[in-house]
Amino acid sequence: MAYEPPVTDYDEIVENCTCAFCGCNCDDLDYLVKDGHVVGVRHACRLGASKIMEDMDQRLMVPMIRDETGELQEVDWDTALDKAAELIAGAIRPIFYGWSETSIETMKHGIRLGELVGAVLDNQATICHGPSLQAVQNAGYPIATLGEVKNRADMIVYTGSNPMNSHPRHLGRYSTFPRGWFRQRGRFDRTLITMDPKYSDTAKMSDIWIGFEQNGDYGFYNAIRAALKGKKIDQDYVSGIPKEDIMELAEAMKNVQFGALYFGLGLTHTLSKQRNIDMAIEMLTDLNEYTKWVLTPMRGHFNVNGFNIFMAFEMGFPYGVDFCRGYQRYMNGETNTIDLLTRKECDVFMVIAADPGAHYPGGAVKHLAEIPVIQVDIHWGPSTEIADVVLPGSFVGVEAAGTSYRMDGVPIYMKKAIDKPETCRDDEWIMRELLERVQKIKDQEAAVASK
Amino acid sequence: MTYIEKPVVPKVVKLEEPAAKERKILNMMLNTGSDIYQGACKKRGSTLKDEYRKVCGVAYMDPRDMAKLGVTNWDTVKVTTDWGEVAVSSVHSRDAPHEGTIFIPKGPWANVITSHETYCCCDPTYKGIYCTVEKTDEPVLLMADLMRAVYKKYVDDEETIPELKSLGEMPVYKKK
Ligand code: SF4
C-alpha cells in the first residue's frame, strides 16, 4: 500500500468516541473534524475507520418513494412517512427487521409500533448468532467481561471465528496483546489457539492452529470432553486431528489458570448449528471442574447484543418476537425472518439499519421482491435496490448519540460528534413519527368501525 | 504438537506440474463469511462501486484448483449450487492450502447460491455447501445490475434484462 501522510488539516478533535462497527465497541476513538465532516480517525482499525469516514456518494440524503415506472423519486418527509405508515397500518403480517446498527432508544419506539400492529420484531441474530442464543438457553452462559479476560486470561481460544478480519482490535485491545493485572507481560503470558478449518489470518498469528475438518466441530469438542473425563478415544483421528494431539490439548486446557473461549459464525452457520455451541458450552462446564474457563460469542454489529438484551428484558425473548396474537411469542424456525420469508408469509417488510439485500440467502430475498419494503438506513445499499420507501436516518455514534451493548453485555453510551446532514432525521425521530402516524390511522379505523 | 506446522503453498501452480490435471468442472465445497475487505467496503457504503464487486464478487481458490481449471487471477468462473448460479472472479486465496474448498465473502453474489434452509434453527446454512465451479465468459455484474438480474423486482419484461443499460456505480433516482 502506498504511504499516506497523516491528516494534519483539521479544525478540532473529538475525543473518546465509540466505534459503531463491530461488537468490540472500542470507546477510545478520536475523530478529526473539519467543516462538520470527519476527515480522520485515530485508534480505530481498518473497519471502524472506513465506516466512520463514510462514502458520501452513496449516503441516503432525501426520503424517496418508488413511482409507477419503478424508479425512486425524491419526496418530502411527510409524504414518505405517510406512505410508510399506510403500508404498516394495512399489513397483516409485517416484519420489522434490523435494529443492530441503531440505538436502544430507537428500539423503544420500535417495540411499541410492533405491539400496535402485531408485527414480528427480529434482528441480525437471526442470521448470525441465533443458534448461540438457543444454546445459551439449553446449556448455560459462562460469560465474563472483556476486561476480566484482559486482566486474567492466560489461554485464549478462538473457534470458528476470525477476529483479525471481523473484530480487528479484539486481540489488541481486550484478549491477547494488552498487559493485564495478572498478565504483566501481555502476549508473552498468554497462549493463543485458533480452531478453524481455514488457515485464517488469526490462525497465522496463533501459537496453535487446529485445522479440524469442515463440519468437524461437534466431533472435535466431544473428543476433548472424552479426554477431559479420562475416557479412551477409540479412533486414531477425530475430525482429522490425531488423538494424541487431542489428549495433549485437553491436558493443556486443564492446566491453565484462566481460559477464555470466543466463538464465531463458523459454529453457527454449519450443519449442526446450535448443537455445536451446546457442545462447546458443555466442554467448558467440564473444564470448570479443573480451572476457570469462560466463553463469549463474537457478536458482529455494535448493537446486535443490545437488541437481544433489550428484547429479553422487555419481552422475555431475545429475538424473533411475534406480536400477531396481541402478546409476545417466540418459536424457533417459526417466528424468524428467514423462515417467514421463505414460507412467503410476510406482506410488509421494514428494515431498520440493516441490509437484507446483502446478507440474506437468495431464497429469502426473492420474497422481498414480491412485497413492499420500507428501508430506514444511512447508505444506498443492495436493499435500496429492492426498497419501495426509503427514509434516510442518521449515523449513531457519529451524528447521533445512543446506547449500545458490547459483545459481553456492557452498555456503552455513544456520544454525538458532528451534526447530521440537514435533510436526514434521527432514527429515533423516524420511529416515533411512524408510531404516531400509524396510531392515528388505527384510531380512525376504530372510530369508523364503531359507528 | 504435531499439527501446527504452518502450511506452505507455491504462489502459482502451473498446469505442467504432475500433480495438476486439467478439468472442465470441479466439485467443491463453498464457504461464505465476512472478510476484512468486504466489511470495510460494505460499511463505508461503497456498495455500488466496482470496488465492492472486486471484494465480494470473487471466489478465493486454492492455486492448485485454479491450475486444474486453467484459470488465473481475475478470470471469471461460474459457481453453481442447488440454489442458483453466479459468475464471480477467481482469485488466489491468502489462506491456502484448502484444496477442494472455495470462499466467497458474504454479499449479494454469495447470496444467490447460499442455502436458505434453516432446519428450524432460524439460521440459514451459509457454510459447507456443495457446489461446482467452471470457467465461463459471462460477465461479473455490478451490484445494482446483479440485484436487477436476479430478483427482477422492477422489470416488466424479463427477456430484456441482458439488453438493459447498466445501472452504473452511482445512485439513480429522480430529484425533485
Ligand atoms: S475492533 Fe471493531 S469496534 Fe474496534 S475499531 Fe475496529 S471495528 Fe471498531
Side-chain angles (χ1 to χ4, degrees):
Chain A
M1 225 208 285
Y3 170 74
E4 280 187 39
V7 180
T8 49
D9 181 22
Y10 54 87
D11 304 334
E12 54 160 341
I13 301 185
V14 187
E15 287 185 337
N16 300 326
C17 299
T18 307
C19 176
F21 193 114
C22 80
C24 292
N25 292 36
C26 301
D27 48 2
D28 59 347
L29 309 193
D30 295 347
Y31 298 162
L32 310 182
V33 179
K34 183 179 167 63
D35 302 331
H37 285 285
V38 181
V39 290
V41 184
R42 287 188 185 151
H43 306 159
C45 68
R46 178 179 193 147
L47 292 176
S50 80
K51 179 165 181 187
I52 293 153
M53 293 192 291
E54 54 185 329
D55 182 349
M56 286 312 275
D57 283 356
Q58 277 182 244
R59 180 70 193 247
L60 291 171
M61 288 297 215
V62 288
M64 292 180 283
I65 295 183
R66 276 284 159 191
D67 62 11
E68 320 75 54
T69 58
E71 220 177 311
L72 282 170
Q73 163 118 44
E74 178 181 345
V75 292
D76 53 33
W77 271 99
D78 263 328
T79 323
L81 285 168
D82 280 338
K83 173 82 184 164
E86 188 190 310
L87 285 170
I88 293 171
I92 296 168
R93 194 111 174 89
I95 298 180
F96 301 163
Y97 168 86
W99 311 103
S100 300
E101 293 189 278
T102 185
S103 57
I104 300 284
E105 289 79 358
T106 311
M107 296 172 199
K108 198 173 72 192
H109 301 294
I111 289 198
R112 287 175 60 201
L113 181 60
E115 272 192 288
L116 177 66
V117 296
V120 174
L121 263 74
D122 207 354
N123 83 327
Q124 278 93 330
T126 204
I127 54 164
C128 60
H129 271 291
S132 313
L133 297 167
Q134 294 162 39
V136 164
Q137 291 160 7
N138 289 345
Y141 200 17
I143 195 176
T145 60
L146 294 169
E148 204 173 334
V149 171
K150 170 183 154 186
N151 284 322
R152 294 169 192 270
D154 57 346
M155 183 179 271
I156 313 284
V157 180
Y158 288 102
T159 172
S161 167
N162 183 6
M164 283 319 287
N165 270 233
S166 51
H167 305 77
R169 288 183 78 203
H170 195 270
L171 284 93
R173 189 158 192 254
Y174 303 110
S175 71
T176 311
F177 290 97
R179 296 170 187 200
W181 187 258
F182 297 107
R183 301 290 162 229
Q184 294 284 339
R185 296 186 305 145
R187 175 72 176 93
F188 305 107
D189 285 347
R190 311 184 204 256
T191 314
L192 177 61
I193 304 183
T194 304
M195 302 175 180
D196 198 326
K198 193 164 93 155
Y199 185 51
S200 63
D201 293 334
T202 312
K204 283 170 201 148
M205 56 191 290
S206 302
D207 301 314
I208 300 172
W209 170 51
I210 300 160
F212 50 65
E213 286 165 359
Q214 185 86 30
N215 289 335
D217 335 38
Y218 190 83
F220 179 71
Y221 300 136
N222 264 315
I224 293 199
R225 290 189 66 198
L228 286 173
K229 295 206 152 128
K231 298 256 161 49
K232 212 167 104 246
I233 300 176
D234 291 337
Q235 288 160 337
D236 289 341
Y237 287 87
V238 180
S239 303
I241 305 294
K243 90 173 165 200
E244 296 75 35
D245 291 337
I246 293 180
M247 305 294 264
E248 200 182 327
L249 181 71
E251 206 48 41
M253 289 172 90
K254 231 159 72 173
N255 289 323
V256 296
Q257 290 175 332
F258 189 108
L261 180 119
Y262 293 99
F263 62 94
L265 301 183
L267 266 60
T268 65
H269 279 172
T270 42
L271 276 179
S272 15
K273 298 190 197 283
Q274 83 272 33
R275 296 294 170 215
N276 283 332
I277 299 144
D278 279 6
M279 216 28 80
I281 298 177
E282 305 258 324
M283 179 175 84
L284 250 65
T285 314
D286 295 343
L287 279 166
N288 271 313
E289 290 192 6
Y290 301 97
T291 179
K292 174 83 179 160
W293 271 83
V294 295
L295 114 175
T296 309
M298 297 289 279
R299 306 308 299 268
H301 301 281
F302 67 94
N303 206 10
V304 61
N305 201 13
F307 180 86
N308 299 140
I309 291 177
F310 180 63
M311 257 333 214
F313 181 78
E314 289 285 330
M315 293 297 158
F317 305 117
Y319 67 103
V321 183
D322 181 2
F323 290 102
C324 74
R325 294 189 185 167
Y327 54 89
Q328 63 272 36
R329 256 174 7 120
Y330 158 79
M331 174 94 149
N332 262 309
E334 194 66 42
T335 62
N336 301 107
T337 313
I338 300 292
D339 298 280
L340 286 166
L341 289 178
T342 45
R343 284 202 309 266
K344 300 192 180 297
E345 265 183 43
C346 166
D347 63 345
V348 169
F349 191 87
M350 176 158 75
V351 39
I352 306 99
D355 209 332
H359 301 145
Y360 279 5
V365 186
K366 275 192 189 118
H367 185 58
L368 291 182
E370 289 163 14
I371 57 172
V373 176
I374 304 162
Q375 186 193 24
V376 183
D377 209 344
I378 53 174
H379 287 123
W380 186 293
S383 299
T384 318
E385 300 293 333
I386 50 170
D388 299 272
V389 182
V390 180
L391 305 169
S394 59
F395 195 158
V396 178
V398 179
E399 297 163 0
T403 311
S404 65
Y405 282 75
R406 204 163 69 180
M407 61 166 73
D408 53 353
V410 173
I412 290 177
Y413 187 69
M414 311 172 75
K415 69 178 182 189
K416 173 180 159 165
I418 57 172
D419 288 326
K420 60 180 178 295
E422 247 168 56
T423 45
C424 298
R425 297 285 187 272
D426 284 343
D427 295 358
E428 202 182 331
W429 182 89
I430 298 176
M431 277 305 133
R432 198 172 49 229
E433 277 293 314
L434 283 176
L435 175 65
E436 278 165 14
R437 283 166 205 246
V438 172
Q439 183 76 58
K440 214 158 108 198
I441 300 177
K442 291 273 172 195
D443 288 349
Q444 276 166 2
E445 279 171 8
V448 171
S450 68
K451 272 206 186 116
Chain B
M1 292 186 189
T2 51
Y3 50 85
I4 57 169
E5 271 143 54
K6 312 275 171 187
V8 235
V9 87
K11 192 114 188 70
V12 182
V13 183
K14 298 236 174 55
L15 262 180
E16 301 89 69
E17 277 180 31
K21 201 160 120 249
E22 185 166 2
R23 287 204 268 147
K24 281 243 152 15
I25 186 162
L26 290 176
N27 286 316
M28 310 270 266
M29 186 174 278
L30 164 72
N31 280 331
T32 71
S34 60
D35 160 78
I36 190 160
Y37 304 105
Q38 171 272 125
C41 184
K42 166 81 184 62
K43 290 295 164 68
R44 186 165 65 230
S46 312
T47 44
L48 290 166
K49 310 280 162 66
D50 181 40
E51 187 190 342
Y52 192 51
R53 169 167 67 177
K54 288 240 167 66
V55 294
C56 279
V58 295
Y60 289 104
M61 296 177 72
D62 188 294
R64 276 176 276 242
D65 288 327
M66 292 175 74
K68 281 184 218 159
L69 215 54
V71 292
T72 55
N73 267 344
W74 304 110
D75 278 353
T76 316
V77 291
K78 186 164 84 180
V79 185
T80 313
T81 66
D82 288 351
W83 289 272
E85 54 173 56
V86 69
V88 290
S89 310
S90 58
V91 288
H92 277 174
S93 170
R94 306 191 294 284
D95 305 328
H98 49 71
E99 226 173 328
T101 331
I102 62 168
F103 179 81
I104 305 186
K106 68 175 174 199
W109 291 267
N111 288 341
V112 181
I113 50 175
T114 48
S115 153
H116 59 260
E117 202 49 77
T118 67
Y119 306 102
C120 272
C121 294
C122 81
D123 211 346
T125 312
Y126 285 112
K127 293 185 167 71
I129 304 165
Y130 292 106
C131 68
T132 59
V133 184
E134 61 199 300
K135 216 171 156 173
T136 179
D137 299 326
E138 289 166 32
V140 184
L141 297 176
L142 280 169
M143 184 279 279
D145 297 336
L146 181 89
M147 296 299 284
R148 180 173 67 186
V150 177
Y151 304 112
K152 310 180 185 90
K153 188 160 182 181
Y154 304 106
V155 252
D156 307 324
D157 189 1
E158 292 182 12
E159 311 272 285
T160 59
I161 292 177
E163 289 129 47
L164 290 177
K165 211 170 111 241
S166 165
L167 291 166
E169 299 185 35
M170 289 296 274
V172 186
Y173 67 96
K174 287 190 204 137
K175 295 210 171 65
K176 230 186 352 208

